[in-house]
Amino acid sequence: MKFLRLLLVLVTFPIFAQQGGMWIPSMLKGMNESEMQSLGMKMTAEDIYDVNKSSLKDAIVHFDGGCTAEVISPKGLLLTNHHCGYGEIQSHSTVEHDYLQDGFWAKDMASELPNPGMVVTFIVSIHDVTNTVLEGVASLNTEADKQKRIQENINRVQTTFPKETWQENKIKTFYEGNQYILFVTETYKDIRLVGAPPSSIGKFGSDTDNWVWPRHTGDFSMFRIYAGKDNKPAEYSKDNVPYTPKHFLPVSLDGISEGDFTMVFGFPGRTQEYLPSFAVEQIVNTLNPAKIEIRDNALKVQDGFMRKDQAIKIQYASKYASVANYWKKWIGESQGLKKSNAIQLKKDFEAEFQKRIAQKGKSAEYGNILADFEKNYKAINEYTLARDYFIEVVLRNTELLSVGFKLYQLEQVYKTKGEQAFDDRKTNTINSLQGFYKDFNVNVDEKVFEKLITLYGQKSPLIPEEFKTMNYEKTTADIYKSSKLTSYEGVKSLFKGDAAANFKALNKDKGYVLVKKLAENYFNNIAPTYDRINLEIGALQRNYMKAQLDLFPDGRFFPDANSTLRITYGQVKGYSPNDAVYYQPVTHLEGVMEKYIPGDYEFDVPSKLLDLIKNKDYGQYAENGKMPVCFIATNHTTGGNSGSPAIDAHGNLIGLNFDRVWEGTMSDIHYDPEICRNIMVDIRYVLFVIDKYADASHLIDEMKLVHPKK
Ligand code: ARG
Ligand code: ASP
């Protein structure tokens, strides 16, 4: 194994990480398979993906389009993260039955809770359709025409590619438009909640511990897939039956040790590993700092209110967590990019790239790529920044403005599509706001508004003159005194009568008038230029990717994540975040006790767990008298991999992926095997909680427990 690694180091340019990557499961034969086996895997590529017989991939689902989940019993039992099932757990909760606080365990199948609208998707087969999608494209002249033709081809192939009636075809682009792959999928629509630990286990450490190692969170929840009597997808019905999977993952009781092979199978959302240095500079120096500052301001205001008022705490908990999640990630990402010298490494690579173009006589094809990148990133800088300000301030973090924007879109429907289209959409939009206002507090939002509109006016490029000099305090007070957008009743009162009356009333509302000015400024003065340059950057990125594949035939290129099924693999491994500091790869329940703060909303521990710890009542799940909780490895994961199974050398479940370590969050842009680690819950902790904490051993009985090391 050492030898093979050495060989790889010798033949590849140092910029290419010797580990990492998110690979397409149907294309592992060759380099990946031998690398995985050299790391300790005992399976073949066909055990992971096979079209003709069942394989590991048949146990993996895309969980409601966001996270990943896996089938772990012959009766369609699904495992995913607590933070992935959070919305469903919350939706079944009431003051009397607060499942977020207390957990939920269905005592039998009849007690499992349906979740209307929720789906999981299996990948049936994977096909390279690049040639068909690119038919007739090369001869077209403009980028816009090319994209149009590609879209037409995609639509045609998606409708004509052979599939069963209950299946779907979906084409996605890989390597920035250099490869197109079709997925035949099967989507199940009756998904029921089976169990969830209390947040004090499933979300232990909450925002303070988020993106941090050492970690002690039991971030899991359980669902079940139900199917029609023919085992095919069916709408919810109480007559549906538990789904019989083509494959389910056996669960290993033998645990992990440093150096063990692990792989993570799931649906990573988005990475940008092949950006030029100019783009990374823009992220580190301009975009991340602006977005972090905006969220920092919004979060501080919300936190101030949440700490003083329990009702606001409940209203804003979920929103706060989601805004804080990426705020914290961007901070870690910027630090990591700087510390790992990512920009300089990219520049070194670009120098080598330029040299090889000359050596191989490819100047005509690739000679201008980098210079064109530089020019375009300069030209787009202000527009990207202005766009981010608009997204973060108007669409994401000021609630009155984001409601206003929805109403602005409604007015556009009226203006462009007429009264009928408006009427069709109006009821939906207004109804959807009811739930929104349940968790809205006008005093919180007024303070957020004042902070963010000030930042916006003072710092965003490309905004109307009047916003630069306005009295922000007075504007805020004026708007929150009179605007109807501050309550659900207020919004409804604007939409009485016919469309003409609605928009007359709306256009007198001071809050609406302000949103509309910002939206029009965005659509007239920012979006058109942004879109035009961005299209050019997309074309350059495609050619740059092609050039890299061409000029570095020995390179280790994997396609950027795009919410399709991928495999990433590595080994259980600690890391050294700073001089003289080394982090072990496994945490234990002892660490929960070290962090325990009675009554604290992040670090409280439920009393039953305290008892189990005191009595060391760990059943068959402990190792040398200690209960493992989480572990880390060198798998290259990203958002969307949450809920993904961690799988051992033989194909057994050993853990559940849910996060990455702070020092390695830059892995979406620059993967560094020295410090990038994914964080998983040890499956033995999951089993312990189900069995000993929740007394739900009937769920354990459904699973297939194995001892691969004995
Ligand atoms: N950072 C993880 C991910 O990006 C976990 C997020 C959920 N946990 C939280 N405390 N907000 O999704
Ligand atoms: N926590 C992320 C998720 O929800 C995973 C990650 O970004 O590492 O998918």
Side-chain angles (χ1 to χ4, degrees), residues 83 203 206-207 210-211 215 219 321-322 325-326 642 658-659:
H83 80 262
K203 211 186 164 184
S206 194
D207 294 315
N210 191 21
W211 301 111
R215 191 67 153 274
D219 195 345
S322 117
N325 192 30
Y326 267 65
S642 276
F658 70 103
D659 209 0

Side-chain angles (χ1 to χ4, degrees), residues 229-242:
K229 296 234 157 57
D230 54 3
N231 209 35
K232 304 259 154 59
E235 295 298 333
Y236 168 79
S237 158
K238 62 177 179 13
D239 301 328
N240 284 346
V241 295

Side-chain angles (χ1 to χ4, degrees), residues 332-483:
E333 180 176 274
S334 287
Q335 283 182 12
L337 288 170
K338 283 183 198 153
K339 194 166 174 195
S340 64
N341 256 326
I343 295 171
Q344 191 53 47
L345 288 171
K346 292 254 175 204
K347 289 200 162 123
D348 295 347
F349 172 73
E350 286 161 9
E352 173 70 19
F353 174 76
Q354 211 63 33
K355 214 160 85 195
R356 291 202 186 188
I357 294 175
Q359 276 167 4
K360 303 205 176 171
K362 301 258 177 160
S363 296
E365 273 170 86
Y366 308 133
N368 293 329
I369 293 178
L370 290 175
D372 286 349
F373 263 135
E374 184 168 16
K375 199 176 73 206
N376 277 294
Y377 273 104
K378 246 192 207 122
I380 208 172
N381 192 51
E382 277 204 311
Y383 293 89
T384 314
L385 182 59
R387 180 173 177 269
D388 275 353
Y389 268 103
F390 180 74
I391 292 172
E392 286 292 315
V393 173
V394 179
L395 306 186
R396 190 72 170 93
N397 292 304
T398 318
E399 296 175 275
L400 180 132
L401 294 179
S402 68
V403 171
F405 185 76
K406 288 203 179 103
L407 304 180
Y408 170 78
Q409 288 176 306
L410 214 48
E411 187 170 8
Q412 298 313 300
V413 169
Y414 174 57
K415 282 185 178 158
T416 55
K417 300 196 176 130
E419 180 123 18
Q420 186 57 50
F422 162 71
D423 276 340
D424 292 347
R425 182 133 159 205
K426 166 173 149 177
T427 322
N428 257 341
T429 303
I430 305 294
N431 286 347
S432 75
L433 290 176
Q434 185 165 12
F436 165 85
Y437 278 105
K438 200 172 103 272
D439 289 337
F440 174 82
N441 179 291
V442 66
N443 299 324
V444 176
D445 196 51
E446 178 169 355
K447 266 278 156 251
V448 171
F449 180 100
E450 188 183 323
K451 287 272 184 211
L452 297 199
I453 201 75
T454 308
L455 267 181
Y456 198 21
Q458 291 174 346
K459 299 207 166 170
S460 175
L462 302 167
I463 52 161
E465 239 6 82
E466 60 175 296
F467 281 85
K468 296 184 193 164
T469 51
M470 119 196 317
N471 180 333
Y472 303 109
E473 216 174 300
K474 183 168 175 309
T475 306
T476 307
D478 275 358
I479 287 178
Y480 281 78
K481 220 182 300 152
S482 69
S483 174

